[in-house]
Amino acid sequence: MAVRVSEAIVLRTYPYQEADLIVSFLTRDQGKLRGMARRARRPKSRFGAGLERLSYVRMSYYLRENRELATLDSCELIRSQFHLLSDYSASVVLDYIAEVTDNLLPPMERNERFFRLVLAVLDHVHAGRPGAVWQAVSYFSLWAVRLAGWMPQLEACTGCGLSLEPPERAFFRRDADGVLCGHCLPSGRWELSAESRALTHAMYRLPVAEFASHPWTKETAADLRRFLVQRIERAVERSLTTAPLLESC
Amino acid sequence: MPDFAEPLERLITEFKRLPGVGQKSAQRLAFHVLRAPRENAERLAGALLDVKDKLGLCRICNNISDADLCPFCRDPGRNQSIVCVVEEAHNILGIETTRQYDGLYHVLHGSLSPLRAIGPEQLRIKSLLDRIAAGAIQEAILATNPTIEGEATAVYLAKLLKPLGLKVTRIGMGIPVGSDIEFADEVTMWKALEGRREL
């Protein structure tokens, strides 16, 4: 059984037995994996700070055929998120990214674009510009839904096919498949503003770093975030724990 | 899985609910109880019930206690001007074994973790602020775990406590005693350098 070495992002850990951890991690070349890190909670653990949430590491592990859990051998820390802890909202955003990634991606299915997305948004948060965490969470949510294949088209009503080019208004609801016009969804709805729809097109075209100079607050594209969180919750068939905390930051 | 008699099966199921106990360990424990004298089983059952019936939380520091106040809050010999803030009650044991600390404690019962739906409201922060508002405490030592969640909790608490005018300190983090600097990762080394002291 040969040791594999993969670039990986640690998504979540679960305490197991006295000092072990079960680790969920996203690798660049093998997709999302789970592994057992023996004695990882001891002070002299060989994993050090490498198994903290969203640490970017070079992970060494053994993967046996027909075994769900890999055995983690060691990890070399490439980049840690410890520097971001002075900002509580950044901390919640990182937990949100970890939760969505862990829930949305199927195990052992390579998805390098998703891996690069997570790295790009983490870099953007590290830049520490005003509004960067809200840009990162909006950009990440949009591309996460798109890469998972759950993004509906926003240009036409999914009910009647009416074009939703502005000034036509677009609405959404938790149980609807996409966006709808005012006739198809007369009540119990949220509006997806024309500005937010225009932003989605910009985010499809440009890398997240290009939004650095774009003025952005928590209120910017808040309707789009709500729409995307609903898409994600529909896809994973459960409520996201971090989503309400994110909006209360 | 073999079919055991119903009471034995029930005991195995209950042991399996304990953290870190799987089917085989649960069977071993259950058979041990079965073979042991009746008094041993009674002592075990009594101890389990006592934990539930006789223990509560200390009115002041939220430590686990069998009285209104825990032994640390009851002891007038302890330094009443320092409070050490820990995540869980069992963290106190680690600090007490050093015999270097004679102040008081405050147990938060967790750390900030959005992934586990634990925000500031779920922690015992308000009672800490009330203790500090009473005026006797001059220093708060933040002894949360050196993890992302523990560090986030410490940073959050520091922002709340510093404006109240008391000294806020964080326990040292870095290279464990007996290990080698060569094997320290970036964060551990950074924290060790950040917490360096003059000799």
Side-chain angles (χ1 to χ4, degrees):
Chain A
M1 189 173 53
V3 65
R4 289 172 192 256
V5 180
S6 300
E7 275 181 56
I9 297 162
V10 174
L11 299 177
R12 198 169 179 178
T13 57
Y14 304 85
Y16 183 72
Q17 293 201 337
E18 202 168 293
D20 304 340
L21 284 176
I22 291 175
V23 184
S24 175
F25 58 107
L26 176 66
T27 64
R28 192 188 280 274
D29 56 347
Q30 302 284 326
K32 191 182 79 175
L33 300 175
R34 279 186 179 222
M36 175 75 76
R38 298 268 180 213
R39 295 178 289 280
R41 288 154 71 200
R42 292 198 183 276
K44 291 182 194 170
S45 154
R46 63 197 144 160
F47 298 101
L51 298 183
E52 294 296 335
R53 175 258 283 135
L54 291 184
S55 290
Y56 177 32
V57 297
R58 199 165 285 112
M59 188 79 83
S60 303
Y61 57 99
Y62 301 93
L63 196 57
R64 286 190 198 163
E65 267 184 55
N66 305 322
R67 285 280 179 92
E68 202 181 304
L69 271 186
T71 303
L72 305 189
D73 182 54
S74 61
C75 69
E76 180 193 333
L77 189 63
I78 300 172
R79 185 167 208 182
S80 161
Q81 314 307 328
F82 250 88
H83 301 264
L84 297 172
L85 290 176
S86 54
D87 180 0
Y88 180 59
S89 58
S91 188
V92 178
V93 165
L94 296 188
D95 273 11
Y96 170 80
I97 291 170
E99 185 184 21
V100 171
T101 307
D102 196 25
N103 281 288
L104 208 55
L105 294 182
M108 295 183 173
E109 214 170 89
R110 183 183 164 144
N111 194 336
E112 203 198 341
R113 293 182 79 191
F114 208 109
F115 186 88
R116 285 192 281 117
L117 168 68
V118 178
L119 282 188
V121 292
L122 289 178
D123 281 347
H124 192 69
V125 177
H126 268 279
R129 294 181 197 92
V133 290
W134 299 108
Q135 284 171 343
V137 76
S138 304
Y139 193 91
F140 169 77
S141 302
L142 180 72
W143 273 97
V145 173
R146 193 178 194 202
L147 291 176
W150 289 90
M151 190 66 198
Q153 61 159 332
L154 304 179
E155 293 77 29
C157 171
T158 49
C160 64
L162 176 77
S163 169
L164 294 177
E165 286 298 315
E168 198 65 52
R169 296 167 73 189
F171 300 94
F172 63 97
R173 192 167 69 188
R174 188 174 287 276
D175 58 352
D177 284 327
V179 286
L180 295 147
C181 66
H183 299 293
C184 292
L185 196 54
S187 61
R189 62 193 188 180
W190 290 280
E191 182 168 4
L192 189 59
S193 67
E195 296 78 26
S196 292
R197 283 181 280 154
L199 265 178
T200 61
H201 295 301
M203 287 193 278
Y204 282 157
R205 283 197 326 273
L206 300 169
V208 65
E210 295 284 321
F211 290 89
S213 56
H214 198 293
W216 204 298
T217 65
K218 185 184 167 186
E219 284 69 40
T220 310
D223 54 345
L224 177 64
R225 277 204 310 276
R226 181 195 291 268
F227 173 72
L228 294 167
V229 166
Q230 288 184 6
R231 295 283 93 203
I232 294 165
E233 288 180 336
R234 252 172 82 99
V236 302
E237 296 180 337
R238 60 180 286 263
S239 299
L240 294 175
T241 312
T242 49
L245 289 167
L246 191 65
E247 294 308 321
S248 65
C249 274
Chain B
M1 196 175 71
D3 287 330
F4 296 112
E6 194 272 336
L8 188 59
E9 185 68 59
R10 202 148 54 90
L11 186 58
I12 292 169
T13 306
E14 291 307 319
F15 278 134
K16 270 167 64 182
R17 291 183 205 276
L18 300 176
V21 178
Q23 175 69 26
K24 293 282 179 196
S25 301
Q27 283 178 24
R28 262 198 304 276
L29 292 169
F31 275 100
H32 175 81
V33 172
L34 182 66
R35 291 187 198 112
R38 182 180 171 82
E39 308 85 74
N40 289 14
E42 281 173 352
R43 271 205 306 274
L44 176 64
L48 288 172
L49 288 175
D50 281 354
V51 161
K52 298 308 290 179
D53 294 341
K54 295 182 180 169
L55 292 184
L57 296 184
C58 171
R59 178 166 51 82
I60 295 177
C61 72
N62 305 308
N63 186 15
I64 292 165
S65 172
D66 57 355
D68 187 37
L69 296 179
C70 73
F72 305 110
C73 292
R74 275 201 305 263
D75 184 353
R78 295 191 77 99
N79 187 340
Q80 305 289 316
S81 67
I82 306 180
V83 64
C84 180
V85 183
V86 295
E87 288 181 20
E88 300 291 349
H90 55 75
N91 297 147
I92 291 175
L93 192 67
I95 296 167
E96 282 298 303
T97 52
T98 65
R99 297 193 189 91
Q100 298 292 312
Y101 177 73
D102 70 342
L104 304 174
Y105 290 97
H106 189 88
V107 185
L108 295 172
H109 288 279
S111 57
L112 291 178
S113 175
L115 263 176
R116 294 179 175 89
I118 302 174
E121 297 77 25
Q122 280 71 42
L123 303 179
R124 311 281 172 132
I125 293 175
K126 191 183 172 300
S127 55
L128 174 64
L129 296 177
D130 291 344
R131 285 178 80 179
I132 288 163
I137 293 166
Q138 304 295 313
E139 179 180 355
I141 303 171
L142 304 178
T144 50
N145 284 327
T147 57
I148 288 257
E149 289 90 351
E151 189 69 4
T153 309
V155 171
Y156 182 85
L157 285 176
K159 283 184 178 171
L160 281 181
L161 301 181
K162 274 187 177 168
L164 302 178
L166 72 162
K167 185 177 170 187
V168 180
T169 55
R170 178 85 172 108
I171 52 164
M173 281 191 273
I175 316 289
V177 176
S179 68
D180 198 317
I181 285 177
E182 185 186 349
F183 299 109
D185 59 47
E186 169 204 317
V187 176
T188 309
M189 202 64 224
W190 163 49
K191 284 290 174 190
L193 285 170
E194 193 182 57
R196 71 188 186 277
R197 64 189 170 87
E198 197 175 325
L199 292 173

